[in-house]
């Protein structure tokens, strides 16, 4: 009975996992509020052409595409950015800038399932729209770092590069946009020699090939050294140099601002998504070899969708991978120690009284459950301690005849007979 298994790449989240996911979601919303990002909710299904426009060849192949009953070619969203760019281009084009937007939800990619890679996954996504200034990029980096700290993930590193460096070289060398994108796809796969072959095929000069080769070997934590070495390789490429200066400015802002970001610079780093024009980054933790988040600047996408010249920068944090990182680092979502009452009728005559008391307590906002398994008192009590019940209300005929019940405080281990109308005050205090 194969249909009783979840579909390959799809998962059920059981209560403990769902709790962690919702904890991350809560933190995501907190960060959105702290930075002034307003939530928007876009559809899971969009036109195929919209999603396919700039997503990159690899991701395009992995989209869930189908024809709806009206004959439209549609797809499940594999990312948020295309939907946000569409929304801004069509409905917010004349809104005052900047626009700060937050989204959270599930995305779909026909990836090969493995640890941390699923066909349905969640992202918290932030887009800062309307500014091409380095302080906008710095804000998105600061937000990313605050988010990670806020969920308790430690030792995170931001792998960072500026796609304008590469595009600056390739542009000067006359490589078409398609050629540039094909080369980036190879780099995204860490296939440096494949990238060099594409460069050669697209007519990059001998000097250009040398520059690329030198550039691809530059990586490391030492910012001054990396910047100096990249700078040296870019003598003949003014646009690429300008991009490096932009990267430098952004890093300066982040550093001087006291953001707790640890960078790893990698000049051969590219991302699969084709719309990036400026900085690009991915977030890593030592416990996972896949990125827990990624982002960058995309200044042309909104324009491609007819929204005019509107620059933007954004980041997406992978909720599922953050859950894994938390687990690996031994970080648990705090279980809220809230009051939880269990009402136990000691015999069948008191079932209705127990039910009535539960209705009354919930009106006072006190979480209340009735013992519905008709267990005996001692079994019901041991079940209550297993489930972290804070207050047990025992409903017996003798006490009921006096308008009372027995209230047992499970933490303190004390019990007393009290009037039913005094329960909310007593439990709430
Ligand atoms: P991307 O949109 O490719 O930049 O992805 C941003 C983040 O989404 C990644 O860093 C991951 O954390 C997460 N992500 C992407 N693809 C998957 C997947 N198949 N399963 C789980 N998380 C994913």
């Amino acid at each position: 009975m194969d249909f009783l298994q979840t579909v390959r790449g799809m998962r059920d989240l059981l209560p403990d996992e769902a709790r962690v996911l919702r904890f991350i979601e809560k933190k995501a919303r907190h960060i959105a509020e702290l930075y002034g990002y307003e939530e928007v909710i876009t559809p899971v299904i969009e036109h195929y052409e919209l999603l396919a426009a700039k997503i990159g060849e690899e991701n395009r192949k992995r989209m869930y595409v189908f024809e709806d009953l009206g004959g439209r070619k549609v797809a499940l969203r594999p990312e948020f950015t295309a939907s946000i760019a569409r929304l801004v281009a069509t409905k917010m084009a004349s809104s005052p800038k900047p626009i700060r937007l937050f989204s959270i939800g599930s995305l779909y990619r026909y990836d090969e399932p493995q640890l941390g890679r699923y066909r349905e996954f969640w992202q918290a996504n932030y887009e800062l729209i309307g500014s091409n200034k380095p302080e906008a990029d710095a804000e998105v980096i600061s937000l990313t770092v605050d988010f990670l700290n806020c969920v308790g993930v430690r030792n995170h590193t931001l792998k960072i590069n500026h796609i304008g460096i590469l595009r600056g070289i390739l542009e000067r060398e006359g490589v078409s946009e398609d050629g540039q994108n094909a080369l980036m796809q190879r780099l995204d796969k860490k296939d440096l020699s494949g990238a060099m072959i594409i460069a050669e095929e697209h007519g990059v000069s001998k000097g250009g090939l040398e520059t690329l080769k030198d550039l691809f070997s530059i990586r490391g934590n030492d910012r001054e050294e990396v910047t100096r070495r990249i700078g040296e390789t870019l003598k003949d490429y003014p646009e690429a140099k300008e991009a490096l200066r932009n990267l430098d400015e952004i890093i300066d802002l982040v550093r001087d601002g006291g953001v707790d970001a640890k960078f790893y610079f990698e000049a051969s780093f590219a991302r699969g998504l084709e719309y990036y024009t400026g900085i690009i980054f991915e977030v890593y933790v030592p416990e996972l070899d896949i990125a827990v988040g990624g982002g960058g600047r995309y200044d042309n996408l909104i324009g491609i969708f007819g929204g005019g010249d509107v620059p933007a920068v954004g980041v997406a944090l992978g909720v599922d991978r953050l859950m894994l990182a938390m687990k690996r680092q031994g970080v648990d979502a705090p279980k809220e120690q809230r009051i939880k009452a269990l009402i136990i009728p000691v015999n069948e005559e008191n079932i209705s009284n127990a039910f009535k008391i539960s209705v009354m307590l919930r009106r006072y906002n006190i979480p209340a459950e009735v013992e519905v398994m008709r267990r005996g008192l001692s079994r019901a009590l041991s079940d209550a301690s297993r489930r972290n019940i804070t207050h047990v209300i025992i409903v017996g005929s003798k006490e009921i005849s006096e308008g009372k019940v027995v209230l047992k405080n499970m933490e303190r281990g004390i019990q007393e007979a009290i009037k039913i109308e005094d329960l909310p005050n007593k439990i709430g205090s």
Side-chain angles (χ1 to χ4, degrees), residues 267-278:
S268 64
F269 163 46
R271 307 199 66 222
L273 305 164
E274 277 169 7
Y275 45 66
Y276 290 115
T277 55

Side-chain angles (χ1 to χ4, degrees), residues 15-27 150-152 323 326-327 330-337:
D16 269 343
E17 293 163 310
R19 181 170 56 81
V20 181
L21 184 140
R22 295 300 179 202
F23 164 77
I24 296 173
E25 179 174 350
K26 193 166 142 191
K27 296 295 178 187
C150 193
V151 296
M323 287 166 73
M326 286 171 68
K327 199 164 167 191
V331 185
D332 197 9
K335 290 197 181 82
E336 280 175 36
Q337 190 43 36

Side-chain angles (χ1 to χ4, degrees), residues 207-233:
L209 291 173
E210 281 297 313
T211 303
L212 288 178
K213 204 164 144 245
D214 288 346
L215 190 68
F216 292 167
S217 71
I218 304 173
R219 62 194 60 199
N221 297 311
D222 185 338
R223 182 223 174 150
E224 273 68 36
E225 196 206 325
V226 169
T227 328
R228 181 184 52 75
R229 285 183 58 199
I230 298 181
E232 281 168 12
T233 61

Side-chain angles (χ1 to χ4, degrees), residues 176-193:
S176 64
E177 202 187 325
D178 283 352
Q180 293 182 24
N181 290 340
L183 191 147
M184 306 277 180
Q185 293 284 339
R186 303 279 25 113
L187 290 182
D188 184 41
K189 291 247 163 302
K190 314 259 174 298
D191 177 8
L192 300 190
S193 46

Side-chain angles (χ1 to χ4, degrees), residues 18 24 234 248 287 348 383 396:
I24 296 173
L234 299 180
D248 233 19
E287 290 79 6
E348 287 191 16
D383 184 58

Side-chain angles (χ1 to χ4, degrees), residues 254 281-282 294 424:
V254 172
F281 62 93
E282 277 178 354

Side-chain angles (χ1 to χ4, degrees), residues 296-324:
R297 168 166 291 283
Y298 54 98
D299 286 348
N300 303 332
L301 190 61
I302 296 170
I304 290 170
F305 295 157
D309 182 17
V310 182
V313 56
V315 62
L317 279 308
V319 176
D320 313 74
R321 293 193 189 164
L322 284 171
M323 287 166 73
L324 272 178

